Amino acid sequence: MPALPVLFGVAGLLALAAAVLPKLVADRPFSTPLVMLLAGLLLGLLPLPYLGGWASPAEHEDVVESFTQLGIVLALAGAGLSVDRPFGLRGWMSPWRLLFVAMPLSIAAVALLGWWWLGLAPAAALLLGSALSPTDPVLAGDVGVPDPGAEPDLARDNEIRFTLTTEAGLNDGLAMPFVLVALLLAGTPVSIGADVLLPLPIGVVAGLVVGRLLAWAFFRIPSSRFRLAEYSDGLVLLALAFLPFAVAELLHGNGFLAVFTAAVCVRTSERSHGYHEVLHTFGRQLERLFVAITLLGLGFALGDGLLRGVTLPEILFAAVAVFVVRPLTGIGSLLRSPARGRAALAIAFFGVRGIGTLYYLAYGLHQAGLPGAGRLWRVGALAVALSVLIHGILAAPVMRRVEEQGAHVPRRLPGESGH
């Protein structure tokens, strides 16, 4: 039997699963990503023809890098459109603390553990720490801000959902400088100024410029025939995702930061317009398809031999990185922030690891031939699988409990009058 029809059949089944599963698992103690991961794991354990040879992502790093990058870009556009809180230092204090305190601390802690516990070379340890640092914008749907148009207490005043969504939107881009430093340690030619530092402001500026131009084209262009919001076409989300990314990358900037910045800019320009919901709905549909493909592929790789040779220290390391390092650094960074008590605990715990981890591992290992690539892939894949399992089971009940108790409402800081 030819392989192409089999692949088309699998793609069709994945599209059906992406459409049906969210409704089937609603109000149940498991998530769509978890179902797809387990389905892939089962497939990987079966002797299926035409699907062998994918057990080692190291053999397909370019494919993994490109596909996960595409998924992240689309997710960042959707995340930016969900942010309904006005931009500011005080209103965004919780995500700022996670980004500039918890994230560097967690990268340092995981890198040190990788060097001391797993015996990784410094460059490989830093790459692993960087790859395990982003909160994933694709898989964090159960704890993120809901679609535009939701009730204000969920979209704007819910400190947990706002913080995790904003953190996920920004830290995929902010992880790149640490990855580049790891490549520098590995001997890859990297300029601290031109490659590590300068792309960050270039990405933000590119996102602001493209975002303002797109907002004008969406809502304010004089002719209604050219005003894109009049068409209610969700396909325009692809322009919001791809154009700022392309402009930033062509200017040697950070494309991930540009996409999220542009999406927030579009959202800010016309907060109450129903077109945001149209764009976001289309984006969520694409995200569900990417989640289905990625998690099925990851599960298949795990079942087909990716974990061959895995050791107990590697399993424990993955669990510690996700469920010890992230919560501890997260709680520490949120002291005296608007997130109080249970809200701070929830934010610190639900740092979902996912497609961003796979992207940065593929990117880093594709750029530099680091020793211990197999171990990095095993630990990274285990961390994502454990995060999908535990966070997927606990997200809905924990968030429901915290919100029922009112702990999600941010406390006012001294001198703060509100959002």
Side-chain angles (χ1 to χ4, degrees), residues 32-226:
T32 300
L34 177 56
V35 173
M36 298 310 302
L37 181 70
L38 294 177
L41 184 63
L42 178 62
L43 288 174
L45 294 173
L46 298 176
L48 298 176
Y50 307 115
L51 295 177
W54 289 90
S56 175
E59 299 176 8
H60 311 279
E61 284 164 356
D62 53 342
V63 176
V64 175
E65 179 186 343
S66 299
F67 185 80
T68 52
Q69 184 182 57
L70 179 59
I72 292 171
V73 166
L74 292 171
L76 291 176
L81 288 174
S82 301
V83 176
D84 198 34
R85 185 180 297 185
F87 180 82
L89 293 178
R90 285 188 176 274
W92 289 43
M93 181 178 291
S94 295
W96 293 145
R97 290 186 175 213
L98 288 176
L99 292 166
F100 297 113
V101 179
M103 186 177 178
L105 287 178
S106 67
I107 291 175
V110 173
L112 287 173
L113 285 173
W115 170 72
W116 170 71
W117 191 355
L118 297 182
L120 296 174
L126 182 56
L127 174 61
L128 183 59
S130 305
L132 289 175
S133 65
T135 294
D136 196 77
V138 183
L139 300 180
D142 290 336
V143 291
V145 173
D147 295 354
E151 293 297 322
D153 69 322
L154 285 179
R156 183 182 65 247
D157 296 329
N158 189 311
E159 190 70 12
I160 303 172
R161 294 181 183 274
F162 165 77
T163 299
L164 288 171
T165 299
T166 309
E167 182 204 12
L170 290 169
N171 66 4
D172 270 299
L174 294 177
M176 180 59 83
F178 297 95
V179 172
L180 293 173
V181 172
L183 297 181
L184 180 62
L185 292 176
T188 303
V190 173
S191 167
I192 293 295
D195 298 322
V196 178
L197 299 178
L198 196 56
L200 301 179
I202 292 177
V204 172
V205 172
L208 286 172
V209 172
V210 176
R212 288 187 178 277
L213 290 174
L214 288 175
W216 177 76
F218 288 176
F219 306 114
R220 298 193 178 92
I221 196 168
S223 173
S224 61
R225 296 183 63 184
F226 294 98

Side-chain angles (χ1 to χ4, degrees), residues 222-246:
S223 173
S224 61
R225 296 183 63 184
F226 294 98
R227 197 178 306 130
L228 294 174
E230 300 293 332
Y231 292 91
S232 294
D233 192 340
L235 197 62
V236 178
L237 176 80
L238 298 179
L240 180 57
F242 296 156
L243 286 177
F245 183 86

